[in-house]
Amino acid sequence: MNDQTPFVPTRIHDLNDDDKPREKALANGIRSLSDAELVALIFGGGLPGMSVVDMARGILHDCDQRVDNLARMSMQEMMSKYKGVGPAKAVCLAAAFELGRRNREQMAGAAEPLIRSSEDVKNIMQPLMAHLDYEEFWVMMLSRSNRVKFKRCISQGGTAATVVDVKLLLKRALDCLAEGIILVHNHPSGNPLPSGEDDRLTQRIKAGADYLGIKVLDHVIIARNEFYSYNDQGRL
């Protein structure tokens, strides 16, 4: 005889009326839902003896009640860490975060924003990079009036570094007829301070750009809720 309890997930449909996020969203709007209720909607089903809402609350509690910490998890980490989170739930949650990221990116690129300071760079790029658990290196291509014409991801790397092809980066800037460029990369560790390699890479790019008549206006490092600006620190 099999002593194991069969897996019968507690579905949203089976919850008490007060605990049904779908009905609550339809009645009061999607913004009325808590973070846990939003995650529960994406998951759809919980565990034996545990509603999907309580399951979502437990996961968010483990993430210090921060959605950005949850967004930084890989699908593999989520599946290995949380009972009841299989491929379907992990992929659906990752898809929701990716859709939100793309929405923010498209909204940021809807017009040509004017860059007045490093704070403007941070406001554009932080939503795209702060949640990543690996490094990305981007270049913002600016017009003569310091409006963003294009922004391009040049490379992706590991948790501690990414390899940047300086020739490719400068070619992209030339192709866009950029008058100036701003370098941006993220530190998944949360520490915004530049490394020695960051310093050396900045100088290599600046030397090449100067030769081509392109101004390197800043190099901004995004680190979750903080950022570092080479220009603000007088290092360009």
Side-chain angles (χ1 to χ4, degrees):
M1 181 176 178
N2 192 343
D3 294 329
Q4 289 185 337
T5 303
F7 179 77
V8 182
T10 307
R11 300 168 299 172
I12 288 177
H13 178 75
D14 300 325
L15 298 174
N16 296 326
D17 288 344
D18 292 341
D19 293 328
K20 292 180 178 178
R22 186 180 299 123
E23 284 72 10
K24 181 178 175 181
L26 290 170
N28 304 315
I30 197 68
R31 293 179 66 88
S32 67
L33 270 59
S34 67
D35 294 342
E37 288 169 331
L38 290 170
V39 173
L41 270 179
I42 295 166
F43 281 171
L47 288 163
M50 178 184 292
S51 76
V52 65
V53 175
D54 286 337
M55 178 182 174
R57 286 175 182 147
I59 291 173
L60 283 168
H61 177 76
D62 188 55
C63 293
D64 297 326
Q65 305 297 346
R66 293 184 62 92
V67 176
D68 60 331
N69 287 341
L70 182 58
R72 289 166 62 86
M73 279 193 195
S74 68
M75 291 179 283
Q76 290 73 21
E77 181 182 3
M78 198 174 300
M79 288 187 289
S80 65
K81 194 169 185 179
Y82 300 117
K83 184 179 179 182
V85 178
K89 285 185 174 65
V91 168
C92 285
L93 189 60
F97 283 127
E98 177 62 16
L99 193 62
R101 186 194 68 79
R102 293 185 187 186
N103 177 58
R104 292 192 300 271
E105 181 177 1
Q106 290 174 15
M107 288 179 65
E112 292 186 350
L114 176 64
I115 302 298
R116 303 180 183 87
S117 67
S118 59
E119 188 76 19
D120 293 330
V121 177
K122 184 265 292 185
N123 290 338
I124 294 170
M125 299 304 296
Q126 193 170 52
L128 308 181
M129 306 178 77
H131 68 285
L132 299 176
D133 58 2
Y134 56 88
E135 282 201 11
E136 286 189 345
F137 197 102
W138 287 65
V139 180
M140 304 175 77
M141 322 290 186
L142 274 60
S143 67
R144 189 180 298 274
S145 59
N146 283 356
R147 289 195 176 273
V148 180
K149 300 171 66 176
F150 303 98
K151 54 183 185 296
R152 295 284 186 270
C153 180
I154 300 297
S155 70
Q156 296 178 335
T159 58
T162 183
V163 177
V164 177
D165 187 325
V166 176
K167 294 191 295 295
L168 175 62
L169 185 155
L170 294 174
K171 181 181 183 300
R172 294 282 176 85
L174 286 171
D175 290 344
C176 295
L177 299 178
E179 294 288 336
I181 59 175
I182 294 176
L183 316 173
V184 188
H185 81 280
N186 63 309
H187 279 180
S189 67
N191 179 3
L193 296 179
S195 66
E197 181 54 34
D198 292 337
D199 294 342
R200 290 186 288 273
L201 177 60
T202 303
Q203 291 307 313
R204 290 204 307 274
I205 295 172
K206 186 175 185 302
D210 285 345
Y211 182 78
L212 297 172
I214 300 172
K215 297 178 181 177
V216 177
L217 301 174
D218 204 348
H219 184 173
V220 175
I221 300 172
I222 303 293
R224 300 187 189 178
N225 297 322
E226 299 182 81
F227 73 100
Y228 179 96
S229 163
Y230 275 78
N231 185 60
D232 290 354
Q233 299 300 320
R235 300 189 60 196
L236 281 177

